[in-house]
Amino acid sequence: VATERCLLSCSKVEVWKQWYQRRVRGGGAAGMTKEEKVKGLLDEILERLPEEFNMMEMAGRTEDRSPYTVVAFQECERMNMLTSEIRRSLKELDLGLKGELTISNEMESTMNSVFLDRVPGNWSARAYPSVLPLGAWFADLLLRIKELEGWTTDFALPNVVWLAGFFNPQSFLTAIEQSTARKNEWPLDRMVLSVDVTKKWKEDFNSPPREGSYVHGLFMEGARWDSQSGMIADSRLKELTPACPVMFVKACTVDRQETKNMYECPVYKTKERGPTFVWTFNLKTKEKPEKWAIAGVALLLSA
């Protein structure tokens, strides 16, 4: 259900992603040379790539320097670095394909990546961990930019935050702790996060919570979240990474943290796990936590 809703709300991006993948596979490109095919793809990417965020103009629109606003500025700065590199490298490659510049090793590497539907190395070095092919990766990039554009219009925290849409999701989760600590005059070094999994999806929320944040875009691997019982449950057959409902993430002091019947579930950016570790969310369980630890149960920010 969650996946279907996401596809409906992002239909334009999805249509482009399908078009791109058909082009990469060769659909409608009979008789085209590698260079012609790459030229068509880079033109399409450049046409759809939005302008960079105007940081000076954004700074003039708000005097608020809350932890959330600081995160928004940091994310926009990192997005600018990425989109700037995409635009620079593709324009350079375009000149090379036209014969106006000598094709360098870097340009040839970018050309090969675009042709093979892979993210060029100089882009991924400035981006976030991802295992997506280039067409899906760029569609995902457009969604991330759209999310930032919506947030920075008035710097009001979105009703539900797409946690996977951040370069640095840790900074947003830390901002929840900082914001709560300031508001209640609690010591920051005593703050921890508390996570309640709701029974609702993104579209069901009309406003953000008074404290903390609703977050979406998490998937569970090795088990599933059972909304009826409000606990972790065994996976269903063929459901490898089922989507989780919206989670309510808030901060409290460590002495108020609920630890009984909880599984300390690691959160990762991708299936590669390891260096993509983000945080640990305590999730309710009826079974012994060891069962889920042995099964390697984790939350992922991308299915």
Side-chain angles (χ1 to χ4, degrees), residues 188-230:
L188 185 58
D189 61 355
R190 299 277 295 160
M191 302 301 293
V192 292
L193 291 182
S194 165
V195 179
D196 290 322
V197 185
T198 72
K199 294 184 178 183
K200 299 178 180 180
W201 300 94
K202 179 191 173 186
E203 296 79 10
D204 301 323
F205 292 86
N206 299 315
S207 62
R210 281 182 291 181
E211 276 192 3
S213 174
Y214 297 125
V215 301
H216 75 105
L218 291 103
F219 304 84
M220 189 170 284
E221 187 174 48
R224 65 184 172 90
W225 183 260
D226 181 34
S227 289
Q228 282 192 316
S229 66

Side-chain angles (χ1 to χ4, degrees), residues 145-256:
I145 293 171
K146 187 179 176 185
E147 191 87 0
L148 278 175
E149 285 173 345
W151 187 7
T152 56
T153 299
D154 57 5
F155 290 96
L157 192 66
N159 296 342
V160 185
V161 172
W162 181 30
L163 193 60
F166 291 106
F167 281 84
N168 185 5
Q170 294 97 318
S171 66
F172 179 76
L173 295 172
T174 301
I176 294 176
E177 292 183 334
Q178 292 170 333
S179 185
T180 307
R182 283 187 193 179
K183 185 176 178 180
N184 298 288
E185 297 183 347
W186 292 340
L188 185 58
D189 61 355
R190 299 277 295 160
M191 302 301 293
V192 292
L193 291 182
S194 165
V195 179
D196 290 322
V197 185
T198 72
K199 294 184 178 183
K200 299 178 180 180
W201 300 94
K202 179 191 173 186
E203 296 79 10
D204 301 323
F205 292 86
N206 299 315
S207 62
R210 281 182 291 181
E211 276 192 3
S213 174
Y214 297 125
V215 301
H216 75 105
L218 291 103
F219 304 84
M220 189 170 284
E221 187 174 48
R224 65 184 172 90
W225 183 260
D226 181 34
S227 289
Q228 282 192 316
S229 66
M231 296 184 184
I232 304 175
D234 289 316
S235 300
R236 291 195 180 104
L237 198 64
K238 296 184 179 179
E239 280 191 4
L240 299 179
T241 51
C244 294
V246 167
M247 298 186 181
F248 178 26
V249 182
K250 57 188 175 182
C252 62
T253 51
V254 66
D255 54 298
R256 299 184 188 185

